[in-house]
Amino acid sequence: MPDLLLVLFLFNFSLFLLHEMDAIRCSEWRLFIILKDMEDSKAYKVFTFIHLFLYVLILSLLFSQYQTIIFWVLDLFFIIHAILHLFFERHPRNEFKNSFSRSIIYPIGVLSVIHLVLLINIST
C-alpha cells in the first residue's frame, strides 16, 4: 500500500503542477493581495520565481525522512486550495472559469481527501 500512496500523491502533485502552469496562463497573481497591484510583467516574474523555491523545498522534503509530514501538509493545503478556488469562482479577476481549469483544480482536492484517508488507515 505505501507504493500506492506515493503514486497517488505524485499523480496529485503532478495535477497541482499542471494547475500552476495554468495559473500563469490565467494570471493568478491578480488574485493575491501583494501581487495584484504590481505591473503584470513584474508580478508574473515574482509569482513564477517564488515557485522555484517552493518546488525545491517540496521535492527535497518528499524524498526525505519527512515524507509523511509533507504528505499531510500538502494534502491539507490542496484541500484548502480547492475550497478557496470554489469561493473565488465569482471574483472578477478569476480566469479559471472554464472546464479545463476546473478539471484540474477540483480533482486535486478530492484526491487529497482520498490520500489522507488512506494515509490515516495505514497509520492505524
Side-chain angles (χ1 to χ4, degrees):
M1 184 64 119
D3 287 341
L4 174 64
L5 271 179
L6 181 59
V7 170
L8 179 60
F9 181 84
L10 291 174
F11 180 80
N12 205 28
F13 184 64
S14 296
L15 279 176
F16 180 71
L17 295 175
L18 285 178
H19 165 64
E20 292 306 310
M21 293 168 66
D22 192 37
I24 290 173
R25 181 189 64 83
C26 293
S27 306
E28 188 176 32
W29 55 85
R30 294 178 184 161
L31 299 172
F32 290 95
I33 293 171
I34 295 172
L35 299 177
K36 71 178 176 72
D37 295 327
M38 280 186 196
E39 182 181 317
D40 265 354
S41 62
K42 182 177 181 182
Y44 156 77
K45 290 174 185 169
V46 170
F47 181 84
T48 305
F49 193 66
I50 288 170
H51 284 79
L52 172 63
F53 297 104
L54 290 173
Y55 295 157
V56 168
L57 178 66
I58 290 167
L59 291 170
S60 297
L61 292 173
L62 184 59
F63 297 102
S64 75
Q65 63 190 13
Y66 304 107
Q67 184 181 66
T68 303
I69 295 169
I70 200 69
F71 280 167
W72 277 90
V73 169
L74 286 179
D75 281 340
L76 292 171
F77 170 75
F78 291 158
I79 292 165
I80 292 167
H81 177 265
I83 292 168
L84 285 173
H85 269 279
L86 187 61
F87 285 137
F88 277 83
E89 272 287 322
R90 296 176 189 237
H91 191 284
R93 290 185 142 180
N94 179 6
E95 295 185 26
F96 295 100
K97 299 175 186 177
N98 59 74
S99 59
F100 178 76
S101 295
R102 288 176 178 142
S103 71
I104 297 171
I105 295 166
Y106 298 120
I108 294 170
V110 172
L111 289 174
S112 292
V113 170
I114 293 168
H115 187 259
L116 273 179
V117 168
L118 291 173
L119 195 60
I120 291 167
N121 284 339
I122 286 177
S123 299
T124 56

